[in-house]
PDB file of all heavy atoms in Angstrom:
ATOM      1  N   ASN A  79     -52.779  17.907 -88.544  1.00  0.00           N
ATOM      2  CA  ASN A  79     -51.395  17.620 -88.915  1.00  0.00           C
ATOM      3  C   ASN A  79     -51.199  17.756 -90.415  1.00  0.00           C
ATOM      4  O   ASN A  79     -51.721  16.954 -91.194  1.00  0.00           O
ATOM      5  CB  ASN A  79     -51.014  16.221 -88.445  1.00  0.00           C
ATOM      6  CG  ASN A  79     -51.069  16.106 -86.926  1.00  0.00           C
ATOM      7  OD1 ASN A  79     -50.565  16.960 -86.218  1.00  0.00           O
ATOM      8  ND2 ASN A  79     -51.700  15.044 -86.434  1.00  0.00           N
ATOM      9  N   ILE A  80     -50.473  18.774 -90.806  1.00  0.00           N
ATOM     10  CA  ILE A  80     -50.164  19.007 -92.210  1.00  0.00           C
ATOM     11  C   ILE A  80     -48.910  18.204 -92.566  1.00  0.00           C
ATOM     12  O   ILE A  80     -47.927  18.237 -91.838  1.00  0.00           O
ATOM     13  CB  ILE A  80     -49.928  20.505 -92.472  1.00  0.00           C
ATOM     14  CG1 ILE A  80     -51.186  21.310 -92.104  1.00  0.00           C
ATOM     15  CG2 ILE A  80     -49.526  20.754 -93.910  1.00  0.00           C
ATOM     16  CD1 ILE A  80     -50.993  22.810 -92.166  1.00  0.00           C
ATOM     17  N   PRO A  81     -48.905  17.465 -93.667  1.00  0.00           N
ATOM     18  CA  PRO A  81     -47.714  16.699 -94.067  1.00  0.00           C
ATOM     19  C   PRO A  81     -46.490  17.600 -94.190  1.00  0.00           C
ATOM     20  O   PRO A  81     -46.593  18.762 -94.624  1.00  0.00           O
ATOM     21  CB  PRO A  81     -48.111  16.102 -95.420  1.00  0.00           C
ATOM     22  CG  PRO A  81     -49.602  16.037 -95.376  1.00  0.00           C
ATOM     23  CD  PRO A  81     -50.035  17.252 -94.606  1.00  0.00           C
ATOM     24  N   LYS A  82     -45.340  17.095 -93.838  1.00  0.00           N
ATOM     25  CA  LYS A  82     -44.105  17.887 -93.883  1.00  0.00           C
ATOM     26  C   LYS A  82     -42.904  16.958 -93.925  1.00  0.00           C
ATOM     27  O   LYS A  82     -42.970  15.815 -93.444  1.00  0.00           O
ATOM     28  CB  LYS A  82     -43.998  18.801 -92.654  1.00  0.00           C
ATOM     29  CG  LYS A  82     -44.029  18.055 -91.319  1.00  0.00           C
ATOM     30  CD  LYS A  82     -43.981  19.010 -90.145  1.00  0.00           C
ATOM     31  CE  LYS A  82     -44.247  18.321 -88.812  1.00  0.00           C
ATOM     32  NZ  LYS A  82     -43.506  17.123 -88.550  1.00  0.00           N
ATOM     33  N   LEU A  83     -41.803  17.456 -94.479  1.00  0.00           N
ATOM     34  CA  LEU A  83     -40.542  16.728 -94.451  1.00  0.00           C
ATOM     35  C   LEU A  83     -39.378  17.621 -94.030  1.00  0.00           C
ATOM     36  O   LEU A  83     -38.529  17.207 -93.255  1.00  0.00           O
ATOM     37  CB  LEU A  83     -40.237  16.102 -95.817  1.00  0.00           C
ATOM     38  CG  LEU A  83     -40.923  14.767 -96.105  1.00  0.00           C
ATOM     39  CD1 LEU A  83     -40.669  14.334 -97.540  1.00  0.00           C
ATOM     40  CD2 LEU A  83     -40.459  13.685 -95.134  1.00  0.00           C
ATOM     41  N   CYS A  84     -39.331  18.833 -94.517  1.00  0.00           N
ATOM     42  CA  CYS A  84     -38.196  19.706 -94.193  1.00  0.00           C
ATOM     43  C   CYS A  84     -38.419  20.475 -92.905  1.00  0.00           C
ATOM     44  O   CYS A  84     -37.512  21.137 -92.410  1.00  0.00           O
ATOM     45  CB  CYS A  84     -37.904  20.676 -95.337  1.00  0.00           C
ATOM     46  SG  CYS A  84     -39.127  21.998 -95.541  1.00  0.00           S
ATOM     47  N   ALA A  85     -39.619  20.407 -92.338  1.00  0.00           N
ATOM     48  CA  ALA A  85     -39.960  21.207 -91.167  1.00  0.00           C
ATOM     49  C   ALA A  85     -39.909  20.370 -89.889  1.00  0.00           C
ATOM     50  O   ALA A  85     -40.300  19.205 -89.869  1.00  0.00           O
ATOM     51  CB  ALA A  85     -41.346  21.818 -91.322  1.00  0.00           C
ATOM     52  N   THR A  86     -39.422  21.009 -88.811  1.00  0.00           N
ATOM     53  CA  THR A  86     -39.479  20.438 -87.466  1.00  0.00           C
ATOM     54  C   THR A  86     -39.407  21.604 -86.490  1.00  0.00           C
ATOM     55  O   THR A  86     -38.832  22.656 -86.811  1.00  0.00           O
ATOM     56  CB  THR A  86     -38.349  19.421 -87.234  1.00  0.00           C
ATOM     57  OG1 THR A  86     -38.523  18.793 -85.977  1.00  0.00           O
ATOM     58  CG2 THR A  86     -36.986  20.064 -87.309  1.00  0.00           C
ATOM     59  N   ASP A  87     -39.985  21.448 -85.320  1.00  0.00           N
ATOM     60  CA  ASP A  87     -40.214  22.630 -84.487  1.00  0.00           C
ATOM     61  C   ASP A  87     -39.015  23.120 -83.682  1.00  0.00           C
ATOM     62  O   ASP A  87     -39.145  24.067 -82.913  1.00  0.00           O
ATOM     63  CB  ASP A  87     -41.418  22.424 -83.564  1.00  0.00           C
ATOM     64  CG  ASP A  87     -41.251  21.264 -82.607  1.00  0.00           C
ATOM     65  OD1 ASP A  87     -40.137  20.731 -82.506  1.00  0.00           O
ATOM     66  OD2 ASP A  87     -42.254  20.884 -81.961  1.00  0.00           O
ATOM     67  N   ASN A  88     -37.837  22.520 -83.842  1.00  0.00           N
ATOM     68  CA  ASN A  88     -36.658  23.113 -83.211  1.00  0.00           C
ATOM     69  C   ASN A  88     -35.766  23.820 -84.223  1.00  0.00           C
ATOM     70  O   ASN A  88     -34.667  24.246 -83.907  1.00  0.00           O
ATOM     71  CB  ASN A  88     -35.860  22.054 -82.443  1.00  0.00           C
ATOM     72  CG  ASN A  88     -35.168  21.055 -83.355  1.00  0.00           C
ATOM     73  OD1 ASN A  88     -35.633  20.806 -84.465  1.00  0.00           O
ATOM     74  ND2 ASN A  88     -34.074  20.483 -82.895  1.00  0.00           N
ATOM     75  N   LEU A  89     -36.254  23.946 -85.477  1.00  0.00           N
ATOM     76  CA  LEU A  89     -35.516  24.637 -86.532  1.00  0.00           C
ATOM     77  C   LEU A  89     -36.395  25.710 -87.160  1.00  0.00           C
ATOM     78  O   LEU A  89     -37.619  25.551 -87.247  1.00  0.00           O
ATOM     79  CB  LEU A  89     -35.082  23.653 -87.622  1.00  0.00           C
ATOM     80  CG  LEU A  89     -34.197  22.478 -87.203  1.00  0.00           C
ATOM     81  CD1 LEU A  89     -33.983  21.545 -88.388  1.00  0.00           C
ATOM     82  CD2 LEU A  89     -32.869  22.975 -86.656  1.00  0.00           C
ATOM     83  N   ASP A  90     -35.767  26.785 -87.597  1.00  0.00           N
ATOM     84  CA  ASP A  90     -36.513  27.823 -88.311  1.00  0.00           C
ATOM     85  C   ASP A  90     -37.126  27.247 -89.580  1.00  0.00           C
ATOM     86  O   ASP A  90     -36.566  26.327 -90.192  1.00  0.00           O
ATOM     87  CB  ASP A  90     -35.582  28.988 -88.676  1.00  0.00           C
ATOM     88  CG  ASP A  90     -35.132  29.771 -87.449  1.00  0.00           C
ATOM     89  OD1 ASP A  90     -35.807  29.680 -86.398  1.00  0.00           O
ATOM     90  OD2 ASP A  90     -34.096  30.452 -87.529  1.00  0.00           O
ATOM     91  N   SER A  91     -38.258  27.788 -89.968  1.00  0.00           N
ATOM     92  CA  SER A  91     -38.928  27.295 -91.173  1.00  0.00           C
ATOM     93  C   SER A  91     -38.036  27.489 -92.390  1.00  0.00           C
ATOM     94  O   SER A  91     -37.265  28.443 -92.478  1.00  0.00           O
ATOM     95  CB  SER A  91     -40.252  28.024 -91.368  1.00  0.00           C
ATOM     96  OG  SER A  91     -40.050  29.418 -91.415  1.00  0.00           O
ATOM     97  N   PHE A  92     -38.165  26.556 -93.349  1.00  0.00           N
ATOM     98  CA  PHE A  92     -37.245  26.512 -94.486  1.00  0.00           C
ATOM     99  C   PHE A  92     -37.973  26.526 -95.823  1.00  0.00           C
ATOM    100  O   PHE A  92     -37.527  27.138 -96.792  1.00  0.00           O
ATOM    101  CB  PHE A  92     -36.385  25.247 -94.352  1.00  0.00           C
ATOM    102  CG  PHE A  92     -35.161  25.221 -95.207  1.00  0.00           C
ATOM    103  CD1 PHE A  92     -34.197  26.205 -95.106  1.00  0.00           C
ATOM    104  CD2 PHE A  92     -34.950  24.175 -96.094  1.00  0.00           C
ATOM    105  CE1 PHE A  92     -33.052  26.165 -95.885  1.00  0.00           C
ATOM    106  CE2 PHE A  92     -33.803  24.113 -96.872  1.00  0.00           C
ATOM    107  CZ  PHE A  92     -32.854  25.116 -96.764  1.00  0.00           C
ATOM    108  N   GLY A  93     -39.068  25.801 -95.911  1.00  0.00           N
ATOM    109  CA  GLY A  93     -39.911  25.853 -97.098  1.00  0.00           C
ATOM    110  C   GLY A  93     -39.358  25.199 -98.330  1.00  0.00           C
ATOM    111  O   GLY A  93     -39.609  25.672 -99.442  1.00  0.00           O
ATOM    112  N   SER A  94     -38.609  24.106 -98.180  1.00  0.00           N
ATOM    113  CA  SER A  94     -37.997  23.502 -99.365  1.00  0.00           C
ATOM    114  C   SER A  94     -38.766  22.296 -99.893  1.00  0.00           C
ATOM    115  O   SER A  94     -38.741  22.025-101.091  1.00  0.00           O
ATOM    116  CB  SER A  94     -36.555  23.086 -99.057  1.00  0.00           C
ATOM    117  OG  SER A  94     -36.530  21.995 -98.160  1.00  0.00           O
ATOM    118  N   CYS A  95     -39.453  21.539 -99.021  1.00  0.00           N
ATOM    119  CA  CYS A  95     -40.040  20.289 -99.510  1.00  0.00           C
ATOM    120  C   CYS A  95     -41.384  20.500-100.208  1.00  0.00           C
ATOM    121  O   CYS A  95     -41.807  19.683-101.022  1.00  0.00           O
ATOM    122  CB  CYS A  95     -40.200  19.285 -98.366  1.00  0.00           C
ATOM    123  SG  CYS A  95     -41.567  19.627 -97.225  1.00  0.00           S
TER     124      CYS A  95
END
Side-chain angles (χ1 to χ4, degrees):
N79 297 313
I80 300 173
K82 58 182 170 49
L83 278 173
C84 72
T86 186
D87 61 10
N88 70 333
L89 301 175
D90 291 340
S91 56
F92 196 58
S94 69
C95 75

